[in-house]
Amino acid sequence: MTRLFKKHYHPAGTAPGTLRNLTLEQTALLGPARYTLACRDAGRWGEVHEIRPADIPEASAQGPLCWLHVQGMPTAEALELLGNRVGLHPLAQEDILNGGQRPKVERFDDSLVVILGIPEIDDEGALHLYQTTLFMGGNIVVSVLAERLDPFTEVRRRLRERGGRALSEPDDLLYGLLDAAVDHAFPVLDSVGERIEELEVEILDRPDSSTLERLHGLKRELIMLRRYLWPTREVINQLLRDHDDLFTPDTRMWMRDVYDHTVQIMDLVESYRDMTASLLDVYLSSMSNRLNESMRTLTIIATVFMPLTFIVGVYGMNFEHPTSPFAMPELGWYWGYPLVWGVMILAAVAMVAWFKRKRWF
Amino acid sequence: MTRLFKKHYHPAGTAPGTLRNLTLEQTALLGPARYTLACRDAGRWGEVHEIRPADIPEASAQGPLCWLHVQGMPTAEALELLGNRVGLHPLAQEDILNGGQRPKVERFDDSLVVILGIPEIDDEGALHLYQTTLFMGGNIVVSVLAERLDPFTEVRRRLRERGGRALSEPDDLLYGLLDAAVDHAFPVLDSVGERIEELEVEILDRPDSSTLERLHGLKRELIMLRRYLWPTREVINQLLRDHDDLFTPDTRMWMRDVYDHTVQIMDLVESYRDMTASLLDVYLSSMSNRLNESMRTLTIIATVFMPLTFIVGVYGMNFEHPTSPFAMPELGWYWGYPLVWGVMILAAVAMVAWFKRKRWF
Amino acid sequence: MTRLFKKHYHPAGTAPGTLRNLTLEQTALLGPARYTLACRDAGRWGEVHEIRPADIPEASAQGPLCWLHVQGMPTAEALELLGNRVGLHPLAQEDILNGGQRPKVERFDDSLVVILGIPEIDDEGALHLYQTTLFMGGNIVVSVLAERLDPFTEVRRRLRERGGRALSEPDDLLYGLLDAAVDHAFPVLDSVGERIEELEVEILDRPDSSTLERLHGLKRELIMLRRYLWPTREVINQLLRDHDDLFTPDTRMWMRDVYDHTVQIMDLVESYRDMTASLLDVYLSSMSNRLNESMRTLTIIATVFMPLTFIVGVYGMNFEHPTSPFAMPELGWYWGYPLVWGVMILAAVAMVAWFKRKRWF
Amino acid sequence: MTRLFKKHYHPAGTAPGTLRNLTLEQTALLGPARYTLACRDAGRWGEVHEIRPADIPEASAQGPLCWLHVQGMPTAEALELLGNRVGLHPLAQEDILNGGQRPKVERFDDSLVVILGIPEIDDEGALHLYQTTLFMGGNIVVSVLAERLDPFTEVRRRLRERGGRALSEPDDLLYGLLDAAVDHAFPVLDSVGERIEELEVEILDRPDSSTLERLHGLKRELIMLRRYLWPTREVINQLLRDHDDLFTPDTRMWMRDVYDHTVQIMDLVESYRDMTASLLDVYLSSMSNRLNESMRTLTIIATVFMPLTFIVGVYGMNFEHPTSPFAMPELGWYWGYPLVWGVMILAAVAMVAWFKRKRWF
Amino acid sequence: MTRLFKKHYHPAGTAPGTLRNLTLEQTALLGPARYTLACRDAGRWGEVHEIRPADIPEASAQGPLCWLHVQGMPTAEALELLGNRVGLHPLAQEDILNGGQRPKVERFDDSLVVILGIPEIDDEGALHLYQTTLFMGGNIVVSVLAERLDPFTEVRRRLRERGGRALSEPDDLLYGLLDAAVDHAFPVLDSVGERIEELEVEILDRPDSSTLERLHGLKRELIMLRRYLWPTREVINQLLRDHDDLFTPDTRMWMRDVYDHTVQIMDLVESYRDMTASLLDVYLSSMSNRLNESMRTLTIIATVFMPLTFIVGVYGMNFEHPTSPFAMPELGWYWGYPLVWGVMILAAVAMVAWFKRKRWF
């Protein structure tokens, strides 16, 4: 089972902004960071190519619009270099290295840092949340994704196509990346929705004890998703409300569209929570139903056979007295045996009829 | 079972405003779009008649007030043509093609796009939510309903009657359409209310396992309705609060009436949710009651017959000893058999009396 | 069972403000409307007497203060006439005819329409909510109550007494009527409170299945009351907040008192909801307790008697062999029978002691 | 059982401000009101002594600061006299006579009426809420407490000590009384907390059916406390927010301390509610645990002994045929009886082992 | 069991600001207070050393920045002396002595008192909340921690290192202490998270009755944590919102980071609450599952063996009649015994097949 809540904190009291490299094992897991740069020149986006950290350009108001994408976890040194070049605040650098941050937006003068969590379901069906950091300062936009996931393929394709609208200004590019990051939640929610519907069929049809485990797993994932997606919505809202001076009216309108998506995502998550709650009720009720059914079967069987067994027990007694007329005279009657059968059949029929009338089956 | 939550999203990162036609199968299902135009001339509404997309008039501040109704899903090309003529923003066009949007209102200068979800119960009793898009720009009002449902019959009838108040200004026409769309929820809620009351009678009277399934179905529908009707209320509220410059004082007052209806609808949905929650409690309690009842029946039967069966078992034993006075002498007593019956009847009566005193039946 | 949620809507798309008469059956039920007029002259209230609709006075700023009370459902024609005379807006007329409105307040220039729901428990103990419409315009105050209930008896008595403070201005009269309408909820809540306490005693003492039904009935009524009383509070709040220009400072203070009452009413409703929720928990727990009790009785009986029955069964076997010393030699022992009894009594005592030690009884 | 929610309302429609004396029985219960007056002169508080209603001083801006404390329910006449002397509004007088008011604060020009509920647990452990009314106008502060409780002993002691800071201004005195009234909730909450912890131990250790009753009693008290303490917090907040012109900066700071106490009280009440909810869950779960335990005991006993009883029953059958080799030949075997015992012991051991492996005990 | 909610209040009505020493036992428990002073001189922090209360420096705007840390509970006299020197308000002194305060921030002109609760898990796994009081006035910062816990080790280490940024201004130092205090919650939450995951594995795998007790213990701790951590968040928020004039822009940015941490902490607490609620559901459901399983086992056993026992009982009857052909003729049949076995085997197989088809096992 993957850990639900990861540890991500310094020892309490550490000086803020302290950068520490990953341990060797952690780096091995994530692989070294790769730096990809694309710049726009003369109305077209140049080739996307990998660079060394030392070649990161400086942010300035002039110069061509550039997009630097960092895939994998950069070393503390590279991050500091990057920070100096483009103006990334030490606190933001710390957030990148620590990971597991709550989605948030930070404004430093004219530069903006947005931290988001991107949900992803891996090949084994486990849900992960990957932190992505977006930075916009001057004419440069930086995206850092310290994991293997790449949600920006489609954006890159659009750059390559070099046509159409879009992506000619920093705020526009930032919007494109935000939109891609936010929309990454849809297929995840879709898969959650499908699993809810499978569970629904299963619970109504033939619930077993593994059903419960999976239902709990779903709730757990929804708790986790909710914890990351609520602040995501708040982040986009803050961008629109507090930092709209950094966006052109046109981009603001597209950003509202992103905001609508985050609202839609939260609506889905809340509906899913309501659904899983309702499914648990159905599960418990159907357990209760089955218990009732077993109980009634048992009660009917016992109620029919216990009296019968008593009756046959009676005539298994060995009372004997040479002269007493009370020593089980029935045993010697000519019609004794059929009579007992008659009584027993009557008793059984009466019991069954009584249960039938009470609609027990 | 119909899918609870439909997929409606582009691959993450697609350029916004990208229009894609429906696949062939989808179009076959919905049928081709039909364009109906009605214009008001000299104080009267002209005939309503079908037109080709190419004949869609251009929006302008002058000219007669026109209402274009698109029934069924238009092709991307027709939609683009329509967008150019009346000034429908590409984002709104995208929303129409994608469907399944959250109700919302978008303002582009002096034009207004309102997206609503209209609930409808089909012939098989399944709940559907159909997206309707209303557009008001200049002297033209457009309504797009990419499904088979037509909630505007009554509005059309009022146009034909050509008399009385109403529908002489774009905002007034928009109000008429909004009112018709919102009020479409009432019969749906009514049918939900009726089913709740049927379930109530059934649960109090004779609950079975299918009851539970239907109760869950109701909750599922209420979750779905709530997800669409909450934002509907917000949409009308936004129209009143943020875009009241587009409405005459008179229409504003009628719009407040529409808003009251959305509040009433939400009140109903919330009351229904409370009711279904209470019904589930009753269901679970009555399951628990029935279990108790079965249990008590079983316990009484077992408590009465087990001791009796034991007693008759005792006298079925075969102890025999030629001389011992302890080898079941009772078997040979003159009054032995009646005595045993006496003891057994006494025991049974005592048991029953004991249960009676504890008010078990 | 009375219908929980009544239908009250036009076919979607009907022109707003359309007035339709009640069907004949409906009118028969409610009886024809009676119009009672009282005017204040020279500092005293004149006699209250019935008038015909045609004699309804016109509202004007001058002239004596009048109170027109309409009891029963007026015809659409009479309502239109009334509307014209006193300036009652068509939308408000529609609301009166449709009934079942959510409590609300509407302001048209200097006139005010307040719609409230008055709860009442009928002779059979069923809860009803009656809509009352209050109108204040110029020097006239109108109250319409389309049902048999009359909450204004006390107000009428105060008019007749012709003394003391109060009821000399329209806003003061409106306050008097609002106060009477709002306070009508107290005895209803009182009766609900009494039933909760009865149920409490019953559930703690001797719950049966009808208890559950009544508890559900209570919850149902509280859902209904809550749906109408929340907006009532909002209505009074709106009067104080948005329309305080229509009230003298003195009346505003009295109105705050009415507002306090609505708050107190909602407090009670919420407390009652908490109480019923807690009672359901107690009910379920006591069901569970009783099940445990039955189960333990059964388990003890079965655990004591099953082994005993087995033992006596053993000695009911018919093994016989002329020479074998293993063919149930016990049956022939001198002390065989008492020994078996000894073993059985020992076993039974051991079992009972074991259950005793585990504190099962 | 004490009544949970008392009736406290006039017949709907009664003229507001109507004063009615208590009935004789009520007065007998509460005892006649006693009026105690203390005035501050030359920087010291004079003796506290009882006065007659007719000697109540008039409020004025000049003159010494006085504190009039009314213990017990005054007659309507005395209250009216008091009202005239110190300027207590008729509505406030009505509230005192009616009792059972929701905590609230009323401002009439420069005078202030604060109504609070003081919780108290009587000798039999029952929770009561006593209404106290505080009035500050000019140089006089009045406190009315229509019950036997006296929360102001400590304040009185501080007056007598005639030293130190405090209680030299009306607002300061009002603060002192408010503080004493609010802090009266702490010992009550403490006793509730102790009972919760007792119940916790009991439920985890040996729950019985009376446990449930007491848990329900606690919830009932918390519902009641919450209903009165929430508005108390609001009252202090309103004093700080809306009426801070009546307080010196110094007193405002002390009042913030009182506000902090009300917040702390509400925190406790909410935590207690959470605790009781959690305890109910534990109770239900432990009921479920015990049921499981009983069930398993029963199942094991039945599974072990039913097959054995069947086997011994087989050999109790009386099949006999002079020549047939199939007429229960086992009965005649030399080793028949020990063999049957062997089979039975084997079966029993196998069953027990099977339950053991399934970890049933 | 440690007390969940401690008593911390004066008798109601005590003069505010009254200081009382701890009783002897309490002091013995906490040990005498130790006063540690560190001052910053010429850009470096001097040695940290213990001082006597009489040597506490006076706060002034000039002079070097000093940090006074009080570990353990100071006597009322020492606290008063401290209060006079640095300007600590009597109310704040009272709060320190009483302990158990709700986290809050108090502003007295230019000095600031912040009270926080620091959660800590002791060696026996019990959760404690320790109150810490931070004071900033002029050039002095005071921290009082009346318990054994020391969360400021890391801060002290940074002072000793005498290098780098940070801690050169009072607000900066206050931030450092706040940050250390707030971050102290992370390891506690981490340990809670681990216990939740352990419980999760246990409940899904093999729940027993101690599981429930531990789950309840967790909920209890989360209720306690929530009660203290919610106001902590509010305290930091208030510092940022209302008292930002006391902080440099730089420190404000670091404080926002602390605020983010409090938000993250609350997110965790809420997620944990959701998780424990879900775990309880799983526990109850798995109890229900096990009950079903036992019930089915019992029902199958009873249903198979009761009819068989009845059949063998029948042939244990002693009907005998010299001539009657109806006196159990089967007993004398040649194939009688095998036939009965055949019937019994058939019956058993049919029963088992029936249960199999109903998927009971």
Side-chain angles (χ1 to χ4, degrees), chain A residues 73-91:
Chain A
M73 179 58 88
T75 59
E77 295 74 31
L79 202 57
E80 212 168 341
L81 186 69
L82 172 71
N84 292 339
R85 293 282 166 85
V86 305
L88 189 63
H89 194 274
L91 263 182

Side-chain angles (χ1 to χ4, degrees), chain A residues 190 200 267 271 318 321 330, chain B residues 102 216 220 227 315 332:
Chain A
D190 226 54
E200 194 175 25
D267 275 5
S271 294
N318 297 320
H321 192 273
E330 309 93 309
Chain B
R102 202 171 184 270
H216 172 67
R220 194 180 141 121
R227 190 150 73 93
Y315 296 106

Side-chain angles (χ1 to χ4, degrees), chain C residues 72-338:
Chain C
M73 178 58 88
T75 58
E77 295 73 32
L79 202 57
E80 213 169 343
L81 185 68
L82 171 72
N84 291 339
R85 293 281 167 85
V86 303
L88 189 64
H89 194 276
L91 264 182
Q93 297 176 26
E94 192 190 340
D95 288 342
I96 290 174
L97 279 181
N98 281 348
Q101 297 299 312
R102 203 172 183 268
K104 64 179 170 183
V105 55
E106 294 275 0
R107 169 85 172 264
F108 305 97
D109 300 317
D110 279 355
S111 68
L112 207 59
V113 178
V114 182
I115 294 180
L116 292 178
I118 301 183
E120 170 85 349
I121 291 181
D122 69 12
D123 299 341
E124 289 153 28
L127 177 68
H128 295 282
L129 276 155
Y130 299 117
Q131 172 181 327
T132 183
T133 310
L134 301 177
F135 168 84
M136 175 178 81
N139 61 338
I140 197 159
V141 170
V142 182
S143 55
V144 184
L145 194 61
E147 312 277 343
R148 282 188 189 141
L149 177 82
D150 185 0
F152 301 135
T153 336
E154 194 71 16
V155 177
R156 212 164 283 123
R157 203 186 45 70
R158 275 160 65 202
L159 292 189
R160 288 217 187 82
E161 284 174 6
R162 290 181 187 116
R165 185 198 165 282
L167 308 178
S168 61
E169 294 298 323
D171 65 328
D172 197 16
L173 181 55
L174 182 71
Y175 151 73
L177 298 174
L178 276 174
D179 186 51
V182 164
D183 284 7
H184 215 87
F186 279 113
V188 169
L189 287 174
D190 225 55
S191 120
V192 170
E194 271 165 28
R195 278 155 66 204
I196 287 180
E197 290 181 4
E198 281 168 28
L199 269 178
E200 195 173 24
V201 171
E202 192 175 318
I203 285 175
L204 286 173
D205 198 29
R206 47 178 161 74
D208 58 33
S209 59
S210 87
T211 313
L212 184 66
E213 197 163 328
R214 264 172 305 143
L215 187 56
H216 172 67
L218 260 177
K219 285 177 102 172
R220 193 181 142 121
E221 283 184 12
L222 285 169
I223 291 171
M224 197 170 163
L225 277 172
R226 193 162 174 261
R227 190 150 74 93
Y228 278 86
L229 296 178
W230 261 118
T232 300
R233 174 179 158 169
E234 191 43 36
V235 159
I236 308 293
N237 192 23
Q238 254 174 282
L239 284 176
L240 278 167
R241 200 185 54 212
D242 304 338
H243 310 297
D244 64 345
D245 56 306
L246 297 177
F247 297 99
T248 60
D250 210 44
T251 313
R252 272 207 289 277
M253 209 187 54
W254 300 111
M255 287 294 286
R256 270 210 305 277
D257 196 58
V258 177
Y259 179 69
D260 281 349
H261 286 191
T262 60
V263 172
Q264 229 172 326
I265 286 168
M266 281 322 299
D267 275 6
L268 267 176
V269 170
E270 295 301 331
S271 294
Y272 286 163
R273 279 167 62 96
D274 283 355
M275 284 298 293
T276 52
S278 176
L279 281 182
L280 184 76
D281 289 340
V282 175
Y283 182 83
L284 283 173
S285 309
S286 81
M287 280 295 110
S288 177
N289 260 333
R290 291 171 76 178
L291 189 62
N292 257 302
E293 200 194 344
S294 312
M295 191 70 206
R296 297 195 151 190
T297 308
L298 176 59
T299 305
I300 290 170
I301 291 289
T303 309
V304 169
F305 281 101
M306 276 191 162
L308 301 190
T309 304
F310 164 67
I311 290 172
V312 301
V314 167
Y315 296 105
M317 292 195 289
N318 297 321
F319 281 98
E320 257 175 315
H321 192 272
T323 58
S324 168
F326 305 114
M328 309 192 74
E330 309 93 308
L331 290 177
W333 293 353
Y334 190 85
W335 292 98
Y337 183 56

Side-chain angles (χ1 to χ4, degrees), chain D residues 66-323:
Chain D
C66 286
W67 170 33
L68 174 68
H69 178 61
V70 185
Q71 186 85 31
M73 178 57 89
T75 57
E77 294 73 31
L79 202 58
E80 212 168 342
L81 186 68
L82 171 71
N84 291 339
R85 295 281 167 86
V86 304
L88 188 64
H89 194 274
L91 263 181
Q93 297 177 27
E94 192 190 339
D95 288 341
I96 290 174
L97 278 181
N98 281 348
Q101 297 299 312
R102 203 174 183 265
K104 63 179 171 184
V105 55
E106 295 275 359
R107 170 86 172 263
F108 305 98
D109 299 318
D110 278 355
S111 68
L112 207 58
V113 178
V114 182
I115 294 180
L116 291 179
I118 301 184
E120 170 85 349
I121 290 182
D122 68 13
D123 300 341
E124 289 153 28
L127 176 69
H128 295 282
L129 276 155
Y130 298 117
Q131 172 180 327
T132 184
T133 310
L134 303 176
F135 169 84
M136 175 177 83
N139 62 338
I140 197 160
V141 170
V142 182
S143 55
V144 184
L145 194 61
E147 313 277 344
R148 285 190 188 137
L149 177 83
D150 184 1
F152 301 134
T153 336
E154 193 71 17
V155 177
R156 215 165 281 122
R157 201 187 47 70
R158 275 162 64 202
L159 292 189
R160 288 215 188 81
E161 285 174 5
R162 289 182 188 116
R165 184 197 165 283
L167 309 177
S168 61
E169 295 296 325
D171 65 329
D172 198 15
L173 181 54
L174 182 71
Y175 151 75
L177 297 173
L178 276 175
D179 187 50
V182 164
D183 284 6
H184 215 88
F186 279 114
V188 170
L189 287 174
D190 226 53
S191 121
V192 170
E194 270 165 29
R195 279 156 65 205
I196 287 179
E197 289 182 5
E198 281 168 29
L199 269 178
E200 194 174 23
V201 171
E202 192 175 317
I203 284 175
L204 287 172
D205 199 27
R206 45 176 164 75
D208 58 32
S209 59
S210 86
T211 315
L212 184 66
E213 199 164 328
R214 265 174 303 142
L215 187 57
H216 172 67
L218 261 176
K219 285 176 101 172
R220 193 181 142 120
E221 283 184 12
L222 285 170
I223 290 171
M224 198 169 161
L225 277 172
R226 192 162 175 260
R227 190 149 74 93
Y228 278 86
L229 296 178
W230 262 118
T232 300
R233 173 178 159 171
E234 191 42 36
V235 159
I236 308 293
N237 192 22
Q238 256 174 282
L239 285 176
L240 279 167
R241 200 185 53 212
D242 303 338
H243 310 298
D244 64 345
D245 55 307
L246 297 178
F247 298 98
T248 60
D250 211 42
T251 313
R252 273 207 289 276
M253 210 186 54
W254 299 110
M255 288 293 287
R256 270 210 305 275
D257 197 56
V258 177
Y259 179 70
D260 281 349
H261 286 192
T262 60
V263 173
Q264 229 171 324
I265 286 168
M266 282 321 299
D267 275 5
L268 267 176
V269 170
E270 296 300 331
S271 294
Y272 286 164
R273 280 167 62 96
D274 283 354
M275 283 298 293
T276 51
S278 177
L279 281 181
L280 184 77
D281 289 339
V282 175
Y283 182 82
L284 283 173
S285 309
S286 82
M287 280 296 110
S288 177
N289 260 332
R290 291 171 75 178
L291 189 63
N292 257 301
E293 200 193 344
S294 311
M295 192 72 207
R296 296 195 154 191
T297 308
L298 176 60
T299 305
I300 290 169
I301 291 290
T303 309
V304 169
F305 281 101
M306 277 192 163
L308 301 191
T309 303
F310 164 67
I311 291 172
V312 300
V314 166
Y315 296 105
M317 292 196 291
N318 297 321
F319 281 96
E320 258 176 315
H321 191 273
T323 57

Side-chain angles (χ1 to χ4, degrees), chain A residues 190-247:
Chain A
D190 226 54
S191 121
V192 170
E194 270 165 28
R195 279 156 65 205
I196 287 180
E197 289 182 5
E198 281 168 29
L199 270 178
E200 194 175 25
V201 171
E202 193 174 316
I203 285 175
L204 287 173
D205 199 28
R206 48 178 160 73
D208 58 33
S209 60
S210 87
T211 313
L212 184 64
E213 199 164 326
R214 266 174 300 142
L215 187 56
H216 173 68
L218 260 177
K219 283 177 105 170
R220 195 180 139 121
E221 284 184 12
L222 284 170
I223 291 170
M224 198 172 162
L225 277 173
R226 193 162 173 259
R227 191 151 72 93
Y228 279 86
L229 296 178
W230 262 117
T232 301
R233 171 179 159 169
E234 191 43 34
V235 159
I236 307 293
N237 192 22
Q238 257 174 282
L239 284 177
L240 279 167
R241 200 184 54 211
D242 303 339
H243 311 296
D244 63 346
D245 56 308
L246 297 177
F247 297 99

Side-chain angles (χ1 to χ4, degrees), chain E residues 95-335:
Chain E
D95 287 341
I96 290 174
L97 279 181
N98 282 347
Q101 297 299 312
R102 203 173 183 267
K104 64 178 171 183
V105 55
E106 294 274 0
R107 171 85 174 263
F108 305 99
D109 298 321
D110 279 355
S111 69
L112 206 57
V113 178
V114 182
I115 294 181
L116 291 179
I118 301 184
E120 170 84 350
I121 290 181
D122 69 12
D123 299 340
E124 289 153 28
L127 177 68
H128 294 282
L129 276 156
Y130 299 117
Q131 172 181 327
T132 185
T133 311
L134 302 177
F135 168 83
M136 176 178 82
N139 62 336
I140 197 160
V141 170
V142 182
S143 54
V144 184
L145 194 61
E147 312 276 344
R148 284 194 188 132
L149 176 82
D150 184 1
F152 302 134
T153 338
E154 193 72 16
V155 177
R156 213 165 281 122
R157 202 186 46 69
R158 275 161 64 201
L159 292 188
R160 289 217 188 80
E161 284 175 6
R162 288 181 188 116
R165 185 196 165 284
L167 309 178
S168 60
E169 295 296 325
D171 65 330
D172 198 16
L173 181 53
L174 182 71
Y175 151 74
L177 297 172
L178 276 175
D179 186 52
V182 164
D183 284 5
H184 215 87
F186 279 113
V188 169
L189 287 175
D190 226 53
S191 120
V192 170
E194 270 164 31
R195 279 156 65 205
I196 287 180
E197 289 181 6
E198 281 168 28
L199 269 179
E200 193 174 25
V201 171
E202 193 175 317
I203 284 175
L204 287 173
D205 200 27
R206 48 180 159 72
D208 58 33
S209 59
S210 87
T211 314
L212 184 65
E213 199 164 328
R214 266 175 301 142
L215 188 55
H216 173 68
L218 261 177
K219 285 177 103 171
R220 194 180 140 121
E221 284 184 12
L222 285 170
I223 290 171
M224 198 170 161
L225 277 172
R226 192 162 174 260
R227 190 150 73 94
Y228 278 86
L229 296 177
W230 262 117
T232 301
R233 173 180 158 169
E234 190 43 34
V235 160
I236 308 294
N237 191 23
Q238 256 174 282
L239 285 176
L240 280 167
R241 201 185 51 212
D242 303 339
H243 310 297
D244 63 345
D245 56 307
L246 297 177
F247 298 98
T248 60
D250 212 41
T251 314
R252 274 208 288 276
M253 210 187 53
W254 299 110
M255 287 293 287
R256 271 211 304 274
D257 197 57
V258 177
Y259 179 70
D260 282 349
H261 286 192
T262 59
V263 172
Q264 229 171 327
I265 285 168
M266 283 320 300
D267 276 6
L268 267 176
V269 170
E270 297 300 332
S271 294
Y272 286 164
R273 280 167 61 97
D274 283 354
M275 282 298 293
T276 51
S278 177
L279 280 181
L280 183 78
D281 289 339
V282 175
Y283 181 82
L284 282 174
S285 309
S286 81
M287 279 298 109
S288 177
N289 260 332
R290 290 171 75 177
L291 188 63
N292 257 301
E293 200 193 344
S294 311
M295 192 72 206
R296 297 195 153 191
T297 308
L298 176 60
T299 305
I300 290 170
I301 291 291
T303 309
V304 169
F305 281 100
M306 277 192 162
L308 300 190
T309 303
F310 164 67
I311 290 172
V312 300
V314 166
Y315 295 106
M317 292 196 291
N318 298 321
F319 281 98
E320 258 176 315
H321 191 273
T323 56
S324 167
F326 305 117
M328 308 193 74
E330 309 93 308
L331 292 177
W333 294 353
Y334 189 85
W335 292 98

